[in-house]
Short mmCIF file of all heavy atoms in Angstrom, two decimals:
data_model
loop_
_atom_site.label_atom_id
_atom_site.label_comp_id
_atom_site.label_asym_id
_atom_site.label_seq_id
_atom_site.Cartn_x
_atom_site.Cartn_y
_atom_site.Cartn_z
N LEU A 16 -4.95 15.44 -29.89
CA LEU A 16 -5.84 16.11 -28.94
C LEU A 16 -6.32 17.47 -29.42
O LEU A 16 -7.31 17.99 -28.92
CB LEU A 16 -5.14 16.26 -27.59
CG LEU A 16 -4.61 14.96 -26.98
CD1 LEU A 16 -3.92 15.26 -25.66
CD2 LEU A 16 -5.72 13.94 -26.81
N GLY A 17 -5.61 18.06 -30.36
CA GLY A 17 -6.01 19.37 -30.87
C GLY A 17 -4.95 20.41 -30.57
O GLY A 17 -3.89 20.12 -30.02
N HIS A 19 -4.14 24.78 -29.61
CA HIS A 19 -4.62 25.97 -28.92
C HIS A 19 -3.64 27.11 -29.20
O HIS A 19 -2.43 26.91 -29.11
CB HIS A 19 -4.72 25.72 -27.42
CG HIS A 19 -5.20 26.89 -26.64
ND1 HIS A 19 -6.53 27.24 -26.57
CD2 HIS A 19 -4.52 27.82 -25.93
CE1 HIS A 19 -6.66 28.32 -25.83
NE2 HIS A 19 -5.45 28.71 -25.43
N PHE A 21 -2.28 30.59 -27.85
CA PHE A 21 -2.16 31.36 -26.61
C PHE A 21 -2.03 32.83 -26.97
O PHE A 21 -1.17 33.19 -27.78
CB PHE A 21 -0.93 30.91 -25.82
CG PHE A 21 -1.04 29.53 -25.25
CD1 PHE A 21 -0.86 28.41 -26.06
CD2 PHE A 21 -1.31 29.34 -23.91
CE1 PHE A 21 -0.96 27.13 -25.53
CE2 PHE A 21 -1.42 28.07 -23.37
CZ PHE A 21 -1.24 26.96 -24.19
N GLY A 57 3.91 27.46 -17.25
CA GLY A 57 3.92 26.04 -17.61
C GLY A 57 2.62 25.36 -17.22
O GLY A 57 2.10 24.50 -17.92
N TRP A 58 2.05 25.79 -16.09
CA TRP A 58 0.78 25.21 -15.63
C TRP A 58 -0.35 25.57 -16.58
O TRP A 58 -1.30 24.79 -16.73
CB TRP A 58 0.48 25.63 -14.19
CG TRP A 58 1.59 25.19 -13.29
CD1 TRP A 58 2.44 25.98 -12.58
CD2 TRP A 58 2.00 23.84 -13.05
NE1 TRP A 58 3.35 25.21 -11.91
CE2 TRP A 58 3.11 23.88 -12.19
CE3 TRP A 58 1.55 22.60 -13.50
CZ2 TRP A 58 3.76 22.73 -11.75
CZ3 TRP A 58 2.21 21.46 -13.06
CH2 TRP A 58 3.29 21.53 -12.20
N HIS A 59 -0.27 26.70 -17.22
CA HIS A 59 -1.25 27.09 -18.23
C HIS A 59 -1.15 26.12 -19.42
O HIS A 59 -2.16 25.61 -19.91
CB HIS A 59 -0.97 28.53 -18.66
CG HIS A 59 -1.98 29.13 -19.57
ND1 HIS A 59 -1.86 30.41 -20.04
CD2 HIS A 59 -3.12 28.65 -20.13
CE1 HIS A 59 -2.88 30.69 -20.84
NE2 HIS A 59 -3.65 29.63 -20.91
N THR A 60 0.08 25.86 -19.86
CA THR A 60 0.31 24.93 -20.96
C THR A 60 -0.23 23.55 -20.61
O THR A 60 -0.90 22.90 -21.42
CB THR A 60 1.82 24.86 -21.27
OG1 THR A 60 2.33 26.18 -21.46
CG2 THR A 60 2.10 24.03 -22.50
N VAL A 61 0.04 23.11 -19.39
CA VAL A 61 -0.45 21.81 -18.91
C VAL A 61 -1.98 21.79 -18.88
O VAL A 61 -2.61 20.83 -19.34
CB VAL A 61 0.12 21.49 -17.51
CG1 VAL A 61 -0.57 20.28 -16.90
CG2 VAL A 61 1.62 21.29 -17.58
N SER A 62 -2.59 22.83 -18.33
CA SER A 62 -4.05 22.87 -18.17
C SER A 62 -4.76 22.84 -19.52
O SER A 62 -5.78 22.15 -19.66
CB SER A 62 -4.45 24.13 -17.40
OG SER A 62 -3.95 24.07 -16.09
N VAL A 63 -4.24 23.56 -20.49
CA VAL A 63 -4.84 23.53 -21.82
C VAL A 63 -4.76 22.12 -22.40
O VAL A 63 -5.74 21.59 -22.94
CB VAL A 63 -4.17 24.56 -22.76
CG1 VAL A 63 -4.58 24.34 -24.21
CG2 VAL A 63 -4.52 25.98 -22.32
N GLY A 64 -3.60 21.49 -22.27
CA GLY A 64 -3.44 20.13 -22.78
C GLY A 64 -4.35 19.15 -22.08
O GLY A 64 -4.93 18.26 -22.72
N HIS A 65 -4.51 19.30 -20.77
CA HIS A 65 -5.40 18.41 -20.03
C HIS A 65 -6.85 18.58 -20.50
O HIS A 65 -7.57 17.59 -20.68
CB HIS A 65 -5.28 18.66 -18.53
CG HIS A 65 -5.96 17.61 -17.72
ND1 HIS A 65 -5.40 16.39 -17.46
CD2 HIS A 65 -7.18 17.60 -17.15
CE1 HIS A 65 -6.24 15.67 -16.75
NE2 HIS A 65 -7.33 16.38 -16.55
N ARG A 66 -7.26 19.83 -20.69
CA ARG A 66 -8.63 20.07 -21.17
C ARG A 66 -8.85 19.44 -22.54
O ARG A 66 -9.88 18.79 -22.78
CB ARG A 66 -8.90 21.58 -21.22
CG ARG A 66 -10.27 21.94 -21.79
CD ARG A 66 -11.36 21.26 -20.96
NE ARG A 66 -12.64 21.28 -21.59
CZ ARG A 66 -13.68 21.99 -21.15
NH1 ARG A 66 -13.57 22.75 -20.08
NH2 ARG A 66 -14.83 21.93 -21.77
N LEU A 67 -7.88 19.60 -23.44
CA LEU A 67 -8.00 19.00 -24.77
C LEU A 67 -8.04 17.48 -24.67
O LEU A 67 -8.78 16.82 -25.41
CB LEU A 67 -6.85 19.45 -25.67
CG LEU A 67 -6.87 20.92 -26.09
CD1 LEU A 67 -5.57 21.30 -26.80
CD2 LEU A 67 -8.08 21.23 -26.98
N MET A 68 -7.27 16.91 -23.74
CA MET A 68 -7.27 15.46 -23.55
C MET A 68 -8.65 14.98 -23.08
O MET A 68 -9.21 14.03 -23.62
CB MET A 68 -6.20 15.05 -22.55
CG MET A 68 -6.15 13.55 -22.30
SD MET A 68 -4.86 13.06 -21.14
CE MET A 68 -5.42 13.84 -19.63
N VAL A 69 -9.21 15.65 -22.10
CA VAL A 69 -10.53 15.25 -21.58
C VAL A 69 -11.59 15.39 -22.67
O VAL A 69 -12.42 14.50 -22.86
CB VAL A 69 -10.89 16.07 -20.32
CG1 VAL A 69 -12.33 15.86 -19.92
CG2 VAL A 69 -9.95 15.70 -19.17
N ASP A 70 -11.56 16.49 -23.42
CA ASP A 70 -12.52 16.68 -24.52
C ASP A 70 -12.38 15.58 -25.56
O ASP A 70 -13.39 15.06 -26.07
CB ASP A 70 -12.33 18.05 -25.18
CG ASP A 70 -12.77 19.20 -24.30
OD1 ASP A 70 -13.43 18.98 -23.26
OD2 ASP A 70 -12.44 20.36 -24.66
N THR A 71 -11.16 15.19 -25.88
CA THR A 71 -10.93 14.14 -26.87
C THR A 71 -11.44 12.80 -26.37
O THR A 71 -12.05 12.04 -27.12
CB THR A 71 -9.43 14.05 -27.22
OG1 THR A 71 -9.02 15.30 -27.78
CG2 THR A 71 -9.14 12.93 -28.20
N VAL A 110 -0.02 25.74 -30.03
CA VAL A 110 0.55 24.51 -29.50
C VAL A 110 -0.40 23.35 -29.82
O VAL A 110 -1.60 23.43 -29.56
CB VAL A 110 0.79 24.64 -27.98
CG1 VAL A 110 1.34 23.34 -27.41
CG2 VAL A 110 1.74 25.80 -27.69
N SER A 111 0.16 22.28 -30.40
CA SER A 111 -0.60 21.08 -30.73
C SER A 111 -0.21 19.96 -29.77
O SER A 111 0.98 19.76 -29.50
CB SER A 111 -0.30 20.65 -32.17
OG SER A 111 -0.66 21.68 -33.06
N TYR A 112 -1.21 19.26 -29.28
CA TYR A 112 -1.02 18.24 -28.25
C TYR A 112 -1.35 16.85 -28.81
O TYR A 112 -2.30 16.70 -29.59
CB TYR A 112 -1.95 18.51 -27.07
CG TYR A 112 -1.66 19.79 -26.33
CD1 TYR A 112 -2.15 21.01 -26.79
CD2 TYR A 112 -0.93 19.79 -25.14
CE1 TYR A 112 -1.92 22.19 -26.10
CE2 TYR A 112 -0.69 20.96 -24.44
CZ TYR A 112 -1.19 22.15 -24.93
OH TYR A 112 -0.95 23.32 -24.24
N GLU A 113 -0.58 15.86 -28.36
CA GLU A 113 -0.85 14.45 -28.70
C GLU A 113 -0.66 13.59 -27.46
O GLU A 113 0.16 13.90 -26.60
CB GLU A 113 0.12 13.93 -29.76
CG GLU A 113 -0.10 14.45 -31.13
CD GLU A 113 0.83 13.79 -32.15
OE1 GLU A 113 1.79 13.08 -31.77
OE2 GLU A 113 0.59 14.00 -33.34
N LEU A 114 -1.42 12.49 -27.42
CA LEU A 114 -1.32 11.52 -26.35
C LEU A 114 -1.06 10.16 -26.98
O LEU A 114 -1.72 9.79 -27.96
CB LEU A 114 -2.62 11.48 -25.53
CG LEU A 114 -2.67 10.48 -24.37
CD1 LEU A 114 -1.82 10.98 -23.21
CD2 LEU A 114 -4.11 10.27 -23.92
N LEU A 135 2.37 12.44 -23.15
CA LEU A 135 1.66 13.61 -23.66
C LEU A 135 2.73 14.58 -24.17
O LEU A 135 3.68 14.88 -23.44
CB LEU A 135 0.84 14.27 -22.55
CG LEU A 135 0.08 15.54 -22.92
CD1 LEU A 135 -1.03 15.24 -23.91
CD2 LEU A 135 -0.49 16.19 -21.68
N THR A 136 2.59 15.03 -25.41
CA THR A 136 3.54 15.99 -25.96
C THR A 136 2.80 17.20 -26.48
O THR A 136 1.65 17.11 -26.92
CB THR A 136 4.39 15.39 -27.10
OG1 THR A 136 3.52 14.89 -28.12
CG2 THR A 136 5.28 14.27 -26.61
N ALA A 137 3.49 18.34 -26.43
CA ALA A 137 2.95 19.60 -26.93
C ALA A 137 4.03 20.24 -27.81
O ALA A 137 5.16 20.45 -27.35
CB ALA A 137 2.58 20.52 -25.77
N TYR A 146 6.49 21.02 -24.25
CA TYR A 146 6.10 20.34 -23.01
C TYR A 146 5.94 18.86 -23.31
O TYR A 146 5.47 18.48 -24.38
CB TYR A 146 4.79 20.95 -22.51
CG TYR A 146 4.01 20.12 -21.52
CD1 TYR A 146 4.48 19.91 -20.23
CD2 TYR A 146 2.79 19.56 -21.86
CE1 TYR A 146 3.77 19.16 -19.31
CE2 TYR A 146 2.06 18.82 -20.95
CZ TYR A 146 2.56 18.61 -19.68
OH TYR A 146 1.85 17.87 -18.78
N LEU A 150 2.45 10.22 -18.06
CA LEU A 150 1.31 10.14 -17.17
C LEU A 150 0.88 8.69 -16.97
O LEU A 150 1.08 7.86 -17.87
CB LEU A 150 0.13 10.91 -17.76
CG LEU A 150 0.40 12.28 -18.37
CD1 LEU A 150 -0.80 12.77 -19.16
CD2 LEU A 150 0.77 13.25 -17.27
#
Side-chain angles (χ1 to χ4, degrees):
L16 304 179
H19 180 79
F21 291 78
W58 301 115
H59 187 180
T60 307
V61 170
S62 295
V63 168
H65 191 80
R66 177 57 193 249
L67 291 171
M68 180 179 65
V69 170
D70 290 348
T71 299
V110 178
S111 300
Y112 296 82
E113 287 185 349
L114 179 74
L135 178 67
T136 56
Y146 162 69
L150 316 168

